[in-house]
Amino acid sequence: MSARPPVVVVLAAGEGKRMRSATPKVLHELAGRSMLGHVLAATEGLRPARTAVVVGHGRDQVTPHLAQLDAEALPVVQAEQHGTGHAARLALEALGDTDGTVLVVPGDAPLLTTQTLARLVERREESGAAVVLLTTVLPDPTGYGRVVRGPDTGEVDRIVEHKDATEEERGIAECAVSVYAFDAGYLAAALTKLTTDNAQGEEYLTDVVAMARADGHGMQAVVAPDHAETLGVNDRVQLAAAGRVLNDRLLEGWMRAGVTVVDPATTWVDADVTCEEDVTIQPFTLLRGSTHLARDAEVGPSCTLVDTSVGAGARVLNTHAKGAQIGPRANVGPWTYLRPGADLAEAAKAGAYVEIKNSTVGPGAKVPHLSYIGDAEIGEHSNIGAATVVVNYDGVRKHVTRVGAYVRIGSDTMLVAPVEVGDGAYTAAGSVITGDVPPGAMAVARGKQRNVEGWVERRRSDTPSAEAARKARERAASREAEGETGEG
Ligand code: UD1
Ligand code: MG
């Protein structure tokens, strides 16, 4: 039986003191997405009927972020945090009439998977139990609520918070992780009966478990298959640990989908990155944002690609790219900087110490060495000589440069924008091009060479250079004399 869509309640009003941050805890990011974003991505997979998110601390930041993540999610303000039970109560009140299953998840557990949450919801629907609790066995359960099971039945009796637990109870490794599937009606009624008679003076959502057991309304537990999935993030050490688990999970997914990851330990991918089959990722590579790698592309070592698309069979080495498009079979790097709007067509090249922004490089065109290209269009199969610079900025405004097809820009050319170089034209090395070049012309825009003979021996007489020049002059003179006598 496929379960009815649940109503989801995310608890995200807590302060997250231990993060020691001006940013609310649930907005801290891993794999390019906020913790809240990860939790909502996991619950979104259940196609929930409705979603409420309890916000409190930092809600001026959390609420707008939530609106971006899910415009339909209902933010519920918990101005003072009187505990998880209080938070859940406010959420149910705000949601109004609710039936079926209410799934409660904490906003700071970014590793939860849709699969595990779906199991919980299905179990609740199939069994009709009042509560289905997710538990996990942790190597270090310090701080967590412990799951106390009956000595005879082995069934869950109640949850005792760490702060309220006896020494013996603290020895229990099975923990509650703030994930539950409740019968909506049962939960609404139970939440009105919570007391604050505990170590923290809070309404504990966990107390609903013992209530359901005592009422005989059915109480079941699902043990998480992998405890890593339930890890909560309370400080930045746990944030990094969760980030590593998430990264391993994402990489494993891509490897199973046909991507070669040479060194998973030094490869980091964001949750929204996508790859096609037979991609190879070399070590020390960060793929961030919405970066996409097409079939047979090879990226790295040492690349950082942000919101960049890499075409089929392209090769990108030692490159920093943001908002760039790298065409099929293009060649980029090493030491290349591609900025937003850099658009390399099929089989184009951007080589060492080249920076490109807001420019198109046509099919087969090359910018091989030491260049800056900004606000330019470069036509197909043109070659931009080493150390060419597009002078796009007059100090106030940016201007456009157009280079046609099959152009040969000589090394160290300055293209002073706005300027146009026609198809098939050449520029002489070292030229400062300030006027348009017609198709097929050779533009020379540089000082004529003048040699001042003997200058070094006259003006720098006691230097090794003068000595070398004198010897060279003597050798030339003796060769000339030999030539005159007809010898050799
Ligand atoms: C809670 C559980 C504990 C569990 C642990 C880890 C209770 C009483 N205890 O303890 O059994 O092992 O989480 O999952 O529920 N929150 C609110 N409003 C509040 C209080 C909390 O929205 O008034 C939110 C927090 O933002 C957080 C979640 O609820 O996302 C859990 O709160 P937290 O303070 O971390 O509870 P713990 O003491 O860790
Ligand atoms: Mg906590």
Side-chain angles (χ1 to χ4, degrees):
M1 163 188 122
S2 91
R4 276 180 293 176
V7 169
V8 168
V9 172
V10 182
L11 307 180
E15 184 172 5
K17 264 197 204 94
R18 284 169 283 170
M19 294 299 283
R20 305 188 69 126
S21 176
T23 303
K25 178 162 86 173
V26 295
L27 298 195
H28 280 263
E29 289 190 358
L30 48 167
R33 205 185 258 171
S34 68
M35 279 199 249
L36 184 57
H38 285 288
V39 171
L40 289 176
T43 59
E44 184 54 37
L46 305 169
R47 308 259 159 265
R50 278 183 298 164
T51 298
V53 179
V54 184
V55 298
H57 271 281
R59 59 183 181 271
D60 51 327
Q61 293 174 65
V62 178
T63 308
H65 179 69
L66 174 63
Q68 280 183 342
L69 291 170
D70 179 355
E72 284 169 22
L74 176 69
V76 177
V77 175
Q78 185 192 27
E80 284 173 39
Q81 285 72 51
H82 296 306
T84 47
H86 178 239
R89 181 153 62 79
L90 295 182
L92 284 205
E93 282 167 16
L95 284 162
D97 251 358
T98 304
D99 56 10
T101 297
V102 175
L103 178 75
V104 175
V105 292
D108 60 357
L111 301 173
L112 288 169
T113 61
T114 301
Q115 212 182 0
T116 296
L117 299 178
R119 265 185 66 199
L120 222 61
V121 172
E122 272 163 28
R123 176 75 79 86
R124 223 291 311 156
E125 292 276 325
E126 281 164 13
S127 67
V131 186
V132 179
L133 171 75
L134 185 66
T135 76
T136 191
V137 177
L138 293 179
D140 176 15
T142 309
Y144 283 81
R146 305 302 205 284
V147 176
V148 182
R149 288 179 182 264
D152 309 320
T153 58
E155 304 243 28
V156 177
D157 265 346
R158 61 194 169 91
I159 297 168
V160 59
E161 288 307 294
H162 183 90
K163 285 181 181 149
D164 300 290
T166 62
E167 253 337 283
E168 196 187 334
E169 287 165 340
R170 285 183 184 179
I172 298 171
E174 187 179 10
C175 298
V177 291
S178 293
V179 179
Y180 321 75
F182 292 105
D183 173 76
Y186 184 82
L187 178 63
L191 289 175
T192 63
K193 296 181 208 151
L194 293 178
T195 66
T196 54
D197 184 14
N198 53 53
Q200 303 184 78
E202 289 181 351
E203 292 175 39
Y204 286 174
L205 181 56
T206 43
D207 286 349
V208 176
V209 169
M211 265 186 219
R213 170 65 68 215
D215 294 355
H217 273 85
M219 162 57 227
Q220 301 207 0
V222 169
V223 183
D226 172 11
H227 75 79
E229 180 180 340
T230 62
L231 288 177
V233 172
N234 294 307
D235 60 31
R236 300 197 201 219
V237 175
Q238 291 171 332
L239 181 65
R244 158 96 38 214
V245 172
L246 192 54
N247 193 57
D248 287 346
R249 192 193 279 174
L250 290 165
L251 288 177
E252 185 179 331
W254 289 119
M255 289 187 273
R256 296 205 185 285
V259 173
T260 295
V261 180
V262 176
D263 181 20
T266 62
T267 303
W268 290 83
V269 294
D270 278 358
D272 292 330
V273 166
T274 49
C275 300
E276 295 176 15
E277 279 176 20
D278 284 319
V279 156
T280 299
I281 306 174
Q282 298 287 357
F284 303 105
T285 294
L286 274 69
L287 304 176
R288 309 203 47 205
S290 60
T291 291
H292 174 74
L293 309 183
R295 185 176 275 275
D296 293 320
E298 184 172 349
V299 167
S302 301
C303 285
T304 299
L305 308 183
V306 186
D307 300 330
T308 289
S309 91
V310 179
R315 182 75 186 89
V316 185
L317 172 65
N318 229 300
T319 289
H320 189 108
K322 183 174 184 183
Q325 309 251 34
I326 297 169
R329 296 186 299 109
N331 219 309
V332 180
W335 301 292
T336 308
Y337 183 25
L338 301 180
R339 292 167 51 201
D343 184 346
L344 276 55
E346 180 160 7
K349 179 185 171 73
Y353 306 104
V354 167
E355 174 178 341
I356 302 179
K357 80 121 216 212
N358 190 34
S359 296
T360 55
V361 179
K366 291 178 178 164
V367 190
H369 333 270
L370 301 156
S371 285
Y372 172 67
I373 307 294
D375 305 306
E377 291 165 20
I378 296 169
E380 57 174 317
H381 299 288
S382 286
N383 189 79
I384 308 298
T388 291
V389 167
V390 169
V391 185
N392 61 328
Y393 186 45
D394 63 11
V396 181
R397 265 181 294 165
K398 306 279 170 70
H399 301 279
V400 172
T401 296
R402 288 197 179 82
V403 173
Y406 295 93
V407 166
R408 296 287 175 266
I409 299 290
S411 292
D412 197 32
T413 296
M414 300 293 120
L415 295 166
V416 182
V419 74
E420 222 172 302
V421 179
D423 290 351
Y426 277 53
T427 70
S431 288
V432 177
I433 303 295
T434 53
D436 291 351
V437 182
M442 157 63 96
V444 187
R446 63 186 185 205
K448 240 191 156 64
Q449 183 169 331
R450 179 169 74 98
N451 296 334
V452 183
E453 295 284 351
W455 185 91
V456 174
E457 278 175 88
R458 287 197 306 280
R459 307 291 293 268
R460 298 288 183 269
S461 50
D462 291 328
T463 64
S465 301
E467 179 64 13
R470 185 181 60 74
K471 283 184 181 156
R473 184 167 47 73
E474 284 170 5
R475 276 196 306 275
S478 75
R479 266 201 305 276
E480 205 166 305
E482 279 164 17
E484 276 168 14
T485 58
E487 280 173 30

